[in-house]
Amino acid sequence: NGCSSVPDESGQPGPSYPRVQAGQVMSGKVIGVIDGATLKILTSSNVDFRVRLAEIDVPEKYQAYGDKAKNALADKTTGKDVTLRVVRQDQYGGIDAFVYIGQRGINLEMVAEGWAWRAQYSRLSELAQVENEARKRRVGLWADDNPMPPWDYRSQRMNPPEEHGRSDGRNIQPLFKIQW
């Protein structure tokens, strides 16, 4: 991906990905969609980054609406030139960012169309407003009477109510029962 390992002040090899700063604006082309909130971007300098849409949370892969959220993001972004406003970079080089195609805010669109929740930690009133409107219109995952937030789904997967389980998108189903 065009990255190299550069020693830091201690002489030890540093990260093998370019560092970016919060607030930095970058541009690139979407070369892949990993899930409903994660893109693979190739910058003009031929560096690829994994970019997570900031301030939103989407259904997990095996959760109800997980595939639909991914498809909605893919339809919006695949092959398109995007602008990123970086929120932060994680220790592995992944970026959380607000993603734009022209003037369109993709993070906001995903919530407004009912494919994502505003993240639990988000304080952005605009995201809260469009989420409430999507709920009222019953669009996307809000067509479901009681959609499970992804943070509840992840919590159930980590602490299933029964033995190890598999989810049908709403409830954890046992994979098998261990008998001793």
Side-chain angles (χ1 to χ4, degrees):
N1 65 9
C3 302
S4 63
S5 183
V6 179
D8 64 14
E9 299 81 41
S10 69
Q12 297 298 314
S16 62
Y17 51 85
R19 297 299 299 165
V20 297
Q21 301 298 317
Q24 183 174 340
V25 175
M26 302 170 57
S27 60
K29 182 178 285 286
V30 176
I31 58 172
V33 176
I34 297 164
D35 61 30
T38 312
L39 302 170
K40 191 167 185 178
I41 308 288
L42 182 64
T43 66
S44 56
S45 55
N46 257 0
V47 177
D48 60 70
F49 284 99
R50 188 177 178 122
V51 177
R52 177 148 173 77
L53 278 64
E55 302 277 332
I56 71 169
D57 205 347
V58 298
E60 295 291 331
K61 181 178 181 177
Y62 295 111
Q63 188 178 358
Y65 297 96
D67 285 340
K68 289 181 180 185
K70 178 181 179 179
N71 292 339
L73 185 60
D75 289 346
K76 292 175 180 306
T77 62
T78 301
K80 303 266 177 53
D81 291 322
V82 295
T83 302
L84 312 174
R85 186 167 44 95
V86 176
V87 173
R88 71 177 201 87
Q89 185 174 35
D90 66 27
Q91 64 189 14
Y92 306 106
I95 297 172
D96 288 354
F98 289 95
V99 177
Y100 300 91
I101 298 175
Q103 299 299 311
R104 293 173 42 211
I106 302 304
N107 308 48
L108 188 70
E109 281 185 13
M110 290 295 289
V111 176
E113 294 172 6
W115 302 120
W117 277 261
R118 172 180 59 101
Q120 284 184 292
Y121 60 83
S122 178
R123 302 255 188 283
L124 295 177
S125 60
E126 192 174 19
L127 283 176
Q129 180 183 343
V130 298
E131 181 180 301
N132 287 334
E133 290 169 5
R135 284 178 192 237
K136 288 177 191 169
R137 292 189 338 264
R138 298 184 60 86
V139 296
L141 58 85
W142 300 113
D144 194 318
D145 286 335
N146 193 20
M148 178 184 286
W151 50 88
D152 288 347
Y153 178 83
R154 288 187 293 267
S155 175
Q156 273 194 13
R157 289 192 48 103
M158 296 303 290
N159 304 298
E162 299 183 34
E163 291 86 15
H164 307 285
R166 172 177 291 144
S167 173
D168 64 3
R170 293 181 180 280
N171 303 300
I172 303 295
Q173 303 298 322
L175 290 173
F176 52 85
K177 220 168 201 164
I178 299 174
Q179 305 238 342
W180 299 98

